[in-house]
Amino acid sequence: MATATPKARPVQRIKMRIRKGDTVQVIAGKDKGKTGEVLRTLPNENRVVVQGVNLRTRHVKPTQEGETGRIVTEEASLHASNVMLYSSANKVASRVEIVVQEDGSKKRRLKKTGEVLD
């Protein structure tokens, strides 16, 4: 008897205002208040991986003979709605807006401080 396979959901990529290398502050969850740099963005899932935040420990079995098992600590992803861009200069978290410059290029700017990110 064949088992039913789940239908593949169509992947809808979400336009994110947070990019790799940005400094963000966590605004919800167990790591609320922590700041860190974005290591990776996952736009298909609307998630980000932040350095030193949402740490998970994983027990790894030895793969070769003579090797010992180990415990690996790594960052798990957070939902993008749980982080805000953080201004290191002014020590404040802020929403981001997209502004169009005179030459027609788009830049990201923090709403609270007016600091241009790109």
Side-chain angles (χ1 to χ4, degrees), residues 4-5 10 34 44 49-50 53 73 75 96 117:
T5 57
K34 289 186 181 179
N44 292 335
V49 177
V50 182
V53 175
T73 304
E75 293 94 355
V96 67
L117 296 175

Side-chain angles (χ1 to χ4, degrees), residues 18-115:
I18 299 170
R19 295 186 187 157
K20 179 180 175 179
D22 286 344
T23 303
V24 294
Q25 183 176 33
V26 180
I27 59 169
K30 65 174 184 142
D31 292 322
K32 181 177 180 177
K34 289 186 181 179
T35 60
E37 182 184 340
V38 176
L39 299 175
R40 254 181 26 203
T41 60
L42 308 168
N44 292 335
E45 303 161 21
N46 198 20
R47 297 177 81 82
V48 294
V49 177
V50 182
Q51 184 177 16
V53 175
N54 199 20
L55 296 173
R56 298 283 185 257
T57 57
R58 195 163 52 93
H59 296 259
V60 180
K61 282 188 174 181
T63 55
Q64 295 177 347
E65 197 171 318
E67 188 180 89
T68 59
R70 60 191 190 280
I71 300 173
V72 178
T73 304
E74 59 190 11
E75 293 94 355
S77 64
L78 292 163
H79 198 269
S81 66
N82 292 334
V83 296
M84 280 180 99
L85 280 165
Y86 185 75
S87 171
S88 301
N90 298 332
K91 306 279 190 245
V92 66
S94 173
R95 291 185 311 217
V96 67
E97 64 181 340
I98 307 294
V99 292
V100 180
Q101 303 287 6
E102 292 80 22
D103 60 351
S105 63
K106 291 182 179 179
K107 302 285 184 185
R108 294 180 304 152
R109 183 171 68 189
L110 297 180
K111 284 202 171 220
K112 278 189 184 173
T113 62
E115 180 181 336

